[in-house]
Amino acid sequence: IMASSYGAKEEDGHHPGSAGLGGAAIRTKKPDNTAFKQQRLPAWQPILTAGTVLPAFFIIGLIFIPIGIGLYVTSNNIKEFELDYTGTDMSSPCFNCSQSWNSTNTCKCELFFSLDQPFESNVFMYYGLSNFYQNHRRYVKSRDDSQLNGDERSLKEPSKECEPYRTNENKPIAPCGAIANSMFNDTLDLFYIDPNGKKRPISLTKKGIAWWTDKHVKFRNPGGSNSNLTTVFKDTAKPVNWHKPVYELDVDIENNGFINEDFIVWMRTAALPTFRKLYRIIQKNNDMTPTLPRGNYSLAVTYNYPVRSFEGRKRMILSTISWMGGKNPFLGIAYITVGSICFFLGVVLLFIHHKYGNRNNSSDIAS
Amino acid sequence: MLRRRLNRLCGGDEERVDSRTIYVGHRPCPDTEAFIPSKFCDNRIVSSKYTVWNFLPKNLFEQFRRIANFYFLIIFLVQVIVDTPTSPVTSGLPLFFVITVTAIKQGYEDWLRHKADKEVNKYPVTVLEDGRSVKKESEKIKVGDVVEVVEDETFPCDLILLQSSREDGTCFVTTASLDGESNHKTHYTVPDIEKDLQTLTSAIECEQPQPDLYKFVGRMHIYKLEQEPVVRSLGPENLLLKGATLKNTKKIYGVSVYTGMETKMALNYQGKSQKRSAVEKSINAFLLVYLSILISKAVVCTTLKYVWQSKEGQDEPWYNQKTQKEKDTNMYLKMFTDFLSFMVLFNFIIPVSMYVTVEMQKFLGSFFITWDKDFFDPEIQEGALVNTSDLNEELGQVEYVFTDKTGTLTQNNMEFIECCIDGFQYRYRDTQSEVDGFTVTDGPVNKLQQKAGWEKEELFLRALCLCHTVQVKEAGSEVLVDQVDGIDGLLGFIASSPDEIALVKGAMKYGFTFLGLESKSMKIKNRQNDIEEYKLLHVLNFDPVRRRMSVIVQTKSGETLLFCKGADSSIFPRVRPEEVDRIRMHVERNATEGYRTLCVAYKQLSAEEYAMADTGLREARLALQDREEKLMAMYNQVEMGMSLIGATAVEDRLQEEAAETMEALQGAGMKVWVLTGDKMETAKSTCYACRLFQRGTELLELTVRTLEDEKLNRDQKLHELLQEYHNKAVKDAPPVKAGVTRSWSTANQDYGFIIDGATLSLLMNPPHDADASQYKSLFLQICQNCTAVLCCRMAPLQKAQIVKMVKNSQGSPITLSIGDGANDVSMILEAHVGIGIKGKEGRQAVRNSDYAIPKLKHLKKLLLAHGHLYYVRIAHLVQYFFYKNLCFILPQFLYQFFCGYSQQPLYDAAYLTMYNICFTSMPILAYSLLEQHISIEILLHNAALYREIANNAMLRWRPFLYWTVLGIFQGLMFFFGVRFLFSNPALQDNGQVFGNWSYGTIVFTVLVFTVTLKLALDTRHWTWINHFVIWGSLAFYVFFSFFWGGIIWPFLKQQRLYFVFANVLSSVSAWLVIIILILLSLLPEILLVVLRKPRGHHSQQLSEDSSTDTNRWLRSLLSPTRI
């Protein structure tokens, strides 16, 4: 791509000291004649010229545009369905739940929706929050990773960073900190309403929603092999906003305590105030039928999580996934744009080069 | 400062007194009523700055006096005290590193100084105490002690020579370690001192210590039993300086007068004043810009934070409660700490590491000058010397070159060419046979001409043989006098100026040989091989003001003669006018041929005249006050009414490649000014020979001669001439921008300007003060429009004055002075860059210079190649550093808009710390050491390339703006590119989502790759080192990221990056976004590279392209970006 001249300069190979006998006796201040000291190291001197970069522009254009189109098509093929269940509207079934938040009573509401297209393959169910600053500094640092890693000492004596969610009634909070305390605790259940009006629950898998390394290395229950989490967490308090202590998050011992995947997912703080987090996976059916066929569905929400106070929104998102992740047209558009720009620039440069370059070249030779 | 304090300490209460009294051997003197031993400081030399105890506090204090270090310290303290987003480690670690490295370096240097001090202070010396010789450590010597020094030992303190083992009461000394002059100097004992020093009772009164090595005024009262006390004057010839070495003398005794820190050596031990380069000033200016960017960012964020928080529920939502302490904090205090936190968050925009890298670049870079074998001179077996590495880049910015003539442009290798005796020319030809030579048997060479009288010839040659201060180098113990031929092979001459040797050798060729000076009697061998002896009565030393020297000798027959030699201008007024005319013609002809001419005159002194002169001179020498002035007056009185006998012409050959060098400098757009003490004609001919003046050059002369006018007085004439020249050179000249184009525009009339010292002083201090500034500006304007300027008849101080004037003129151009002698020191120190030539006139210039080179011809490579490269390298380094930190911090700033202005850092602390230290530091350092955007050969061949970087071209506001815009563009790219990607954070093919640390890591990866590849694009010279560090840095970044995220770090509270990098890389989308963002960020850069021409052709093409050429238009549009 680059016109390069390999400007290796000959080194005459004369080294002081190799002179032989007299070398040691005469201490001359003559500088060493080495390529480095004489700034004559062999060097590659690339020269970027229009002629050499032009093909690069075309090649970039030719590669990027197809990639971009591929990305765009892939993204468009991803099916995504979003449902806002915040319940700010009077008409919304969840309006009542959103208005009164009472930690003791659980409030349930049910929303109906229909999918126009069938969702094939595995379907991923996300919950999305808006205007929720999980990336606020006070929030981000309010956790104790060694406690979450099963460190007994940190369990008893959580990090100061957890304040003001460090202790409750003189007992250390486990898991401590604002992040854990504000864990998303709405329960979302999905039902398929078959044509004859019968509600059929859709099985939601909660395994595999957290990073493997988080689940298996970064997060660990204290007490080592002690499987009785109740005794392990005996002297700790539950986070103030939680309904149940951490060892009752799940009945499955592999998904309980700190290694509960819902908890781990929540603990990975989002980058932006509007975010989504993986909630459940709907495994594809073994038969050829789509995972979520066209039709009517209902979403049953156990409405626990208040967002009205900070004007947040809650969404449920159903999405299929491709090799590039979820639906995002940005990459495709970006690639197509950059590819086109390169191609266009290539054409313009070629034009300039063709029209004016020849004359310059001839004058180069002449000079 | 330290020294001054020490002085005060040592000097104590004596400060008010003008002189000090020293009792030799601490013996009280009869006429002092009470013997009060005065308190002087001891003989301990302290050159070290620190002791073990005060090293830490003092060194830290000194380091934090640097504004940058102080700034970083403040940031660090803020981080420690205030709850800030980044841990104190992120800024503390680099600062600690910098401070430690500097402290270790300074500590090591000081340890070396301690060692050297100890060696000097503990050196055993012999002191005479109560008639016994006592061995003592050098530091225990007190003022008044009588010290014994043997041959080849150095003097432990400043001594007054009392007794020498040589019969004539002299001793020889070399002052190589003081001023670098390796010739032997003769020092004299004080007359009338008894042989037995034990019984000597005397008091010495001398001035308080002062640093001038060549000045000493004192008086010695010698008390003898039942006699009137004798008073003897003491001068520098009696003073043996600490640091000098005794030579050719078995042993001497001396009484110490100045000890320890009060010795002249210690007083001269002082670092030169720091010169700051233009680049450093640019850095500071940019720093201010970035500081204001930093502050405004912090202010914007703080303001917006409080605006944002004022909205209901934003400040403290239920999920993110404040601690009780935070709630209790005063609102204004909180605002202030928020502001500080933002400052800390963004402080990386001004990196500690830039200072480290710049220092390292300068320090390491200067080695290339010392290593350059082209600067090695086989004759003196030495290469170039770098005294300061702070000014490397300044070598690429020189606009004015001030050069000395003798020894710099010319070789200072004098050869006697011809002489003129009584108006007849004598030329000695080496190659011709004896018959044509000037021999005893034959007459003068030029047979066509009449020869002068026999007696005149002999008188002239005797004058040459006697009127000098040359010493004969003693060849071992025996002096072989009786060798008939090959005398100059055996007899070496030592003199302060090579002219004198040339003259003595010249006389030798004509049959008169100087055999040496022994106990005040000079021996010469005449043509008949007889030895004539003359008693040397007085030497009236040469000095540049008088421009002549004389000796008074007594012949065997008792006649007293005064021989005087000197510049024509100083001799002609002192001889009979009718004699002048015959010789003037020769002198002027010789001068235009480029020879150095001296006139020789003599005078016979009658007994009365001599007696008068003798007493006058003695009195003047004894004077304690105004000795110089009195001596001068006396000299002038004695050197009157002489008769002229002849003139000599000595050739001073041009230095190798002097003309080529000058031409190259002019081609590079530098203005060359020749500043010389020599006379106008000689200097002018040298200028012609160096092609500074050319045939077509119109000379504008402003000298004493042109000022002579019958109608007008000198002042008016000066005014008139200045106006006339100004009209000619400035107003009528085609309107080219001053200083931009010159010597290639051959169509223009070239002007050369000549001014002499007398006129210059008239110009600088005109009778009417009001004219001064007007004259100066006229003068400067004329000079700026002249190709070359010649200033002749300059006193050393005037040279510095000129340099200063140009330096402070409009636009403050960068000046360079080059010289080889002590008389150039002042201008070397005055100029921005001082270059010393390791010439023959001692080493003073070298010692005071910033760079020293063996020959003038090396200046070309030093400036055109090294200077150019250093400038480009450091300019790029500085711009790049600001750029890379701008696009480093900008995303972090933008992130604040998305995280509720909570000072949440975008990058992990490890990345924040390592970015400048590890990931991006090595490539730029390697670049700044190795880059050759144009190869050295082309730079040397094409001097005009130097103009491309003139006027700090790469560090002006336009390139700075370009880099800043580039940084902003890329910062925006990085942040918003990833921002759009994260509009759906489910980026993995298993539906899992990325969090904020993944976001930061992707941005950071793009950032590291982009800034490194940007540098790769700028690199024109890829050595294996560049490849290694560029690809190595990137590999290291990847490796480090894996490593950092691969382990649960045991002692860290937060495991934020655990497997983040690996997870990012497992996402195809992340790869795609990284690739496209890097490409998009570099696209404008690539485009610019393509649109501009390759460098090699650039300069040639510029003049060839027609103005309608679109390409050229494009290029001119992009021209500031060539950097």
Side-chain angles (χ1 to χ4, degrees), chain B residues 404-414 594 596 652-656 658 678 686 690 820 856:
Chain B
D404 175 41
K405 189 183 77 72
T406 316
T408 308
L409 283 176
T410 57
Q411 284 186 355
N412 206 13
N413 184 4
M414 303 295 168
R596 296 161 70 90
D652 188 1
R653 268 193 239 125
L654 277 189
Q655 288 276 7
E656 295 167 55
D678 223 331
T686 310
C690 294
D820 71 324
L856 176 79

Side-chain angles (χ1 to χ4, degrees), chain A residues 145 211 271 324 326 335 356 364, chain B residues 895 986 991 1055 1063 1069 1072 1101 1110:
Chain A
D145 275 337
W211 290 13
M324 58 170 280
Y335 266 79
Y356 301 99
D364 273 0
Chain B
Y895 193 56
Q1055 310 291 343
N1063 255 312
S1069 294
L1072 288 171
Q1101 290 228 325
T1110 326

